[in-house]
Amino acid sequence: MSGMAACIKKRREQAAGIGSCGKAVKFLNQDYEAIRQHCLETGSLFCDESFPACTASLGYNELGPNSFKTRDVEWRRPKDLCSNPEFIVGGASRTDICQGALGDCWLLAAIASLTLNNEVLSRVVPCEQDFGSDYAGIFHFRFWQYGEWVDVVIDDRLPTKDDQLMFVHSASGNEFWSALLEKAYSKLNGSYEALSGGSTTEGFEDFTGGISEWYELEKAPGNLFKIIQKALRCGSLLGCSINITSSAETEAITSQKLVKGHAYSITGAEQVNYQGDEEKLIRIRNPWGQVEWSGSWCDNAPEWNSISDEEKERLCNQSDDGEFWMSFSDFLSNFSRVEICNLTPDTLASDEVHKWSVMTFNGSWRSGSTAGGCRNYIKTFWTNPQFKIQLDEADDDPDDDDEKCSFLVGVIQKNRRRCRKMGEDMRTIGFAVYEVPDEYKDKSNIQLRRDFFVTHASSARSETFINLREVMNRLALEPGQYFIVPSTFQPNENADFAIRVFTEKQANVQVIDIEVDAKLEDEQVDEEDISSSFENLFDYLAGEDAEISAFELQRILNKIVSNRDDIKTDGFSLETCRNVIGLMDKDGSGKIGLVEFKLFWNKLQKMLKIFKKMDADHSGTMSSHEMRMALEEAGFTLNNMLIQILVARYADTSLLIDFDNFVGCLIRLETFFRIFKQLDQDDEGLVELDVFQWLILAQG
């Protein structure tokens, strides 16, 4: 119940704008200003107990408690490392980011690209932080996380060995913004080690809220150079890397000083006049801060002597800072992949850059209810969450004569880095897009069922199912209405996700789910119509008081089901029997009489009939997906969230529901629907309760 309350609270906060960059969510409920003020008033330096200066914050395996890498680690504040520490010296620059002993070059490449745009940087690195008179050992940074911005507070105790920072550091030695940023991001993901290995696009997105796309250079489009130039002009963040064929090649250095399996950032793309022809050049930065390309157009290469002094002055930087130029043709020959992060409309204030229209929705895959797996599992695929997109306007400059609507779809799985210390990692995820059939157009309270997917092919889909944090594709479809179905590859894999749709023109996206309702029968039984044999049975069961209590009902039901071999049950619980009494008891006696027992008996026979009908394999139990169909057969239409709750409550560890739990589920549903309909006198789908009424209802 507390989870449901938290979900409702979250929706209210989002409606109030909490989670925007200007109103970032306080990570772990830590308020930077309040903590800082308290430290200043008490004359103390902040010590963050939520991310303590200990081995647990470093990692769990290679940086775990028993690793030689974590021996003799000391956590020290910048003022203990140098006499004049600075947060940022002369503005943040790419040379402030030098890699340490952590395999997070992907992150550092993203940070390096971040420094190219002060507007973007200021959203992640709040200004007015320093080591001056108001220093209190506390800093904070903002990151985008799956649809909302979070503000992460840290202390400035940093892991060191031999008086040197272990991880990211500035070349100047007394500048600490990049090291503190890395610590905040480590806290967000659970530990420093959780950042080992990744894609630059992940860092891009968490620093901007943008959506990333990538190109394999073996099959690069002919206009890739223009795409890169346009992306740089739009303030997009760009990275590149060289594939490896085995783990032994990781960070291996080629003969021309390029590092394999290493994340670089792209910082420029220019054309120069070289020997009478236009030469395309691309500027790249190694986050190590050194080890530069040694081929054509490298620092001090003879090619620079064949261009004008003006162009040479504008482009040439002859220093071993990790940044270098190379020809675009060499780039295509040596690198394997380019990654581009497209920014959200609120990221850049300029009206001159292209801005996308963005929609974000959160969802979850849950075993037995909404984790249906990919289309290979046709029996359950339809139970995955579904989203509807309406594309009305075609592109202004289509690539061909057909009118198409371009859009990006990204499905991003949440918080998977935090799961690494439990032995889990990324799920394998993907999505498919289906055109909405005519009978479902302009409707929202619907859900495509199994029969639809059996007979209809997808209009588009993700290129592959992959175990990355996000799967994304650029698509172009004719104007119309479509369903997007995100899924894990295998069914019954739990994960939370966010789905984002970036469109060039205005479009509408909405969550598709059926309307919650119940068709409740008001069956009447006349005492005169009850057969004498049933009445005699009741008298025998009820005893002298001619009424059946919850304890007596439990004994009766368990005796009945124990004599059947076509249904499996662990026996009716006292809670279920009390719920039956609560539903059927009309006079508030806490017991049921002859007519009430007859009404319940009729209900029980209907439930048994439904149970046996849906038990397709005659196992005596129902799968959680069969239960969904059984609930509909019983008259209940429930949305995905309610299905998830019911499966979690009534299914066993194998996601099976036995007969007694099925009865308990239906009785409780009917009870609450009847209470709600009785309170909703105006039939508006809304009731209002004071705390006393709520507590009375909750006790029922």
Side-chain angles (χ1 to χ4, degrees):
M1 187 62 72
S2 60
M4 283 295 296
C7 183
I8 294 171
K9 179 175 179 289
K10 189 72 173 179
R11 289 181 178 180
R12 289 176 176 173
E13 289 177 346
Q14 289 173 342
I18 304 298
S20 63
C21 191
K23 295 182 179 180
V25 174
K26 295 177 177 60
F27 185 64
L28 301 181
N29 292 318
Q30 290 179 299
D31 188 310
Y32 168 75
E33 289 295 346
I35 297 172
R36 178 172 167 275
Q37 189 60 38
H38 173 75
C39 290
L40 291 174
E41 291 174 356
T42 58
S44 60
L45 296 180
F46 177 52
C47 292
D48 185 10
E49 296 305 320
S50 66
F51 196 64
C54 67
T55 309
S57 297
L58 291 176
Y60 43 86
N61 186 15
E62 290 189 10
L63 294 177
N66 300 318
S67 172
F68 74 93
K69 294 183 180 180
T70 58
R71 292 175 191 165
D72 303 321
V73 171
E74 293 184 80
W75 294 76
R76 303 177 67 182
R77 298 185 190 270
K79 288 198 171 188
D80 300 326
L81 295 171
C82 63
S83 59
N84 61 331
E86 298 282 352
F87 185 63
I88 295 179
V89 178
S93 67
R94 301 183 296 283
T95 58
D96 299 342
I97 305 127
C98 300
Q99 189 172 0
L102 187 63
D104 61 348
C105 59
W106 62 273
L107 175 64
L108 308 191
I111 298 175
S113 293
L114 192 65
T115 63
L116 297 175
N117 191 311
N118 288 330
E119 194 175 348
V120 175
L121 179 69
S122 64
R123 288 155 62 96
V124 178
V125 185
C127 57
E128 299 178 359
Q129 301 187 89
D130 56 42
F131 293 89
S133 58
D134 288 337
Y135 166 72
I138 182 172
F139 293 86
H140 70 130
F141 299 86
R142 287 189 292 260
F143 305 103
W144 180 89
Q145 289 287 278
Y146 322 118
E148 66 182 15
W149 286 85
V150 296
D151 189 85
V152 180
V153 171
I154 57 166
D155 64 36
D156 62 347
R157 295 177 294 178
L158 296 168
T160 68
K161 264 193 174 186
D162 302 323
D163 298 330
Q164 300 293 321
L165 291 177
M166 287 180 65
F167 305 128
V168 70
H169 54 279
S170 170
S172 68
N174 71 325
E175 188 173 27
F176 291 93
W177 73 270
S178 58
L180 294 168
L181 171 63
E182 182 188 45
K183 179 175 182 178
Y185 197 62
S186 299
K187 176 179 176 178
L188 182 67
N189 285 281
S191 68
Y192 277 91
E193 188 173 357
L195 304 185
S196 183
S199 168
T200 305
T201 58
E202 187 173 340
F204 284 168
E205 294 184 349
D206 286 352
F207 295 151
T208 67
I211 192 168
S212 296
E213 54 185 318
W214 50 89
Y215 297 91
E216 300 299 336
L217 297 185
E218 279 189 356
K219 46 184 179 181
N223 62 341
L224 181 60
F225 188 78
K226 287 186 177 180
I227 290 174
I228 291 173
Q229 283 188 313
K230 182 179 179 181
L232 288 168
R233 286 196 298 269
C234 290
S236 300
L237 306 183
L238 295 90
C240 58
S241 60
I242 302 172
N243 290 342
I244 59 174
T245 56
S246 68
S247 59
E249 285 190 314
T250 301
E251 296 191 343
I253 301 175
T254 70
S255 60
Q256 292 183 303
K257 298 297 182 67
L258 295 177
V259 186
K260 293 185 176 183
H262 187 62
Y264 290 82
S265 50
I266 297 175
T267 61
E270 301 284 348
Q271 290 191 146
V272 297
N273 189 305
Y274 174 66
Q275 296 181 348
D277 292 321
E278 288 294 316
E279 180 80 33
K280 296 175 182 176
L281 302 179
I282 188 164
R283 188 175 63 200
I284 299 168
R285 170 151 168 67
N286 182 346
W288 285 351
Q290 53 188 347
V291 186
E292 298 183 8
W293 162 253
S294 61
S296 300
W297 296 98
C298 69
D299 293 356
N300 299 313
E303 287 83 5
W304 292 106
N305 298 324
S306 299
I307 65 172
S308 68
D309 291 341
E310 181 181 348
E311 287 185 323
K312 185 176 180 180
E313 178 70 23
R314 179 169 61 93
L315 303 179
C316 196
N317 175 26
Q318 298 179 357
S319 62
D320 188 22
D321 59 357
E323 192 167 57
F324 55 87
W325 289 95
M326 64 191 306
S327 71
F328 190 64
S329 58
D330 281 340
F331 172 73
L332 293 176
S333 299
N334 286 274
F335 280 83
S336 308
R337 180 182 173 99
V338 167
E339 299 162 328
I340 301 174
C341 182
N342 302 287
L343 302 181
T344 56
D346 63 331
T347 305
L348 302 174
S350 173
D351 292 328
E352 296 180 3
V353 300
H354 169 78
K355 295 184 179 181
W356 296 87
S357 175
V358 184
M359 289 144 287
T360 303
F361 297 92
N362 293 298
S364 60
W365 296 297
R366 289 293 178 267
S367 297
S369 55
T370 55
C374 70
R375 198 174 183 277
N376 294 349
Y377 303 91
I378 197 65
K379 288 184 178 180
T380 57
F381 177 68
W382 68 274
T383 64
N384 285 299
Q386 299 177 13
F387 301 84
K388 183 180 175 184
I389 179 172
Q390 180 159 331
L391 304 171
D392 292 325
E393 297 182 67
D395 298 345
D396 291 329
D397 52 348
D399 293 331
D400 50 42
D401 294 333
D402 295 332
E403 287 197 350
K404 296 286 184 69
C405 304
S406 295
F407 62 106
L408 307 177
V409 177
V411 179
I412 183 170
Q413 47 188 321
K414 299 182 179 181
N415 303 314
R416 298 308 299 179
R417 286 187 179 274
R418 285 183 164 270
C419 297
R420 285 183 174 180
K421 61 183 177 183
M422 280 85 79
E424 294 187 16
D425 210 327
M426 302 294 178
R427 301 296 191 195
T428 301
I429 62 172
F431 65 85
V433 181
Y434 294 84
E435 187 172 4
V436 176
D438 291 340
E439 62 269 26
Y440 283 171
K441 286 182 177 175
D442 302 320
K443 295 181 180 179
S444 58
N445 294 321
I446 53 170
Q447 185 179 36
L448 296 180
R449 311 307 288 263
R450 175 190 173 186
D451 291 346
F452 172 85
F453 295 109
V454 169
T455 57
H456 291 76
S458 60
S459 300
R461 61 182 184 273
S462 54
E463 288 185 5
T464 183
F465 276 75
I466 193 166
N467 60 340
L468 295 178
R469 186 177 78 154
E470 183 172 38
V471 58
M472 194 287 301
N473 277 96
R474 179 187 288 266
L475 304 174
L477 295 175
E478 295 179 355
Q481 296 179 12
Y482 299 87
F483 277 104
I484 305 173
V485 185
S487 72
T488 56
F489 184 78
Q490 298 284 346
N492 295 324
E493 290 189 331
N494 291 322
D496 296 318
F497 69 87
I499 182 169
R500 297 184 293 161
V501 180
F502 280 48
T503 57
E504 290 195 7
K505 297 294 187 70
Q506 288 296 320
N508 179 48
V509 180
Q510 59 186 140
V511 181
I512 294 300
D513 215 340
I514 56 179
E515 187 173 1
V516 176
D517 199 7
K519 298 176 182 177
L520 303 176
E521 295 181 0
D522 292 316
E523 185 181 358
Q524 301 294 326
V525 171
D526 194 321
E527 187 170 351
E528 296 178 356
D529 295 332
I530 298 176
S531 67
S532 57
S533 59
F534 188 88
E535 187 171 354
N536 290 336
L537 174 63
F538 175 80
D539 291 339
Y540 169 75
L541 298 172
E544 294 182 0
D545 63 353
E547 287 191 309
I548 294 176
S549 67
F551 298 97
E552 292 169 322
L553 182 61
Q554 183 185 31
R555 186 174 63 252
I556 293 166
L557 293 177
N558 285 337
K559 185 175 181 179
I560 292 171
V561 296
S562 67
N563 294 324
R564 301 186 65 111
D565 57 9
D566 56 340
I567 56 174
K568 290 184 179 179
T569 174
D570 291 330
F572 282 82
S573 68
L574 188 58
E575 179 189 7
T576 295
C577 295
R578 282 174 171 158
N579 287 336
V580 171
I581 299 295
L583 175 63
M584 308 308 303
D585 179 19
K586 304 303 181 185
D587 57 10
S589 66
K591 298 181 179 181
I592 54 176
L594 173 61
V595 173
E596 295 161 333
F597 184 70
K598 177 60 175 175
L599 284 169
F600 168 66
W601 188 260
N602 292 345
K603 283 183 184 295
L604 190 64
Q605 300 309 305
K606 291 178 181 177
M607 294 177 190
L608 179 60
K609 183 178 179 181
I610 293 172
F611 186 88
K612 289 177 65 64
K613 177 182 177 181
M614 296 302 166
D615 177 18
D617 60 358
H618 307 293
S619 63
T621 61
M622 283 192 302
S623 71
S624 55
H625 293 291
E626 289 172 337
M627 183 185 179
R628 181 193 286 254
M629 306 303 295
L631 290 171
E632 293 187 6
E633 185 82 6
F636 299 101
T637 54
L638 307 176
N639 62 20
N640 283 335
M641 180 175 289
L642 288 170
I643 293 292
Q644 289 178 15
I645 293 169
L646 294 179
V647 169
R649 176 163 186 161
Y650 293 103
D652 65 14
T653 55
S654 299
L655 300 175
L656 299 176
I657 297 94
D658 57 17
F659 183 63
D660 56 286
N661 275 305
F662 178 62
V663 172
C665 176
L666 292 187
I667 290 294
R668 193 166 176 83
L669 278 173
E670 182 174 348
T671 299
F672 277 94
F673 267 108
R674 288 194 182 277
I675 291 173
F676 185 89
K677 289 180 181 293
Q678 188 174 6
L679 295 174
D680 183 18
Q681 297 181 353
D682 297 328
D683 197 27
E684 295 179 347
L686 183 70
V687 297
E688 188 173 313
L689 303 173
D690 60 32
V691 66
F692 175 74
Q693 293 169 323
W694 167 252
L695 290 173
I696 291 293
L697 177 60
Q699 294 308 311

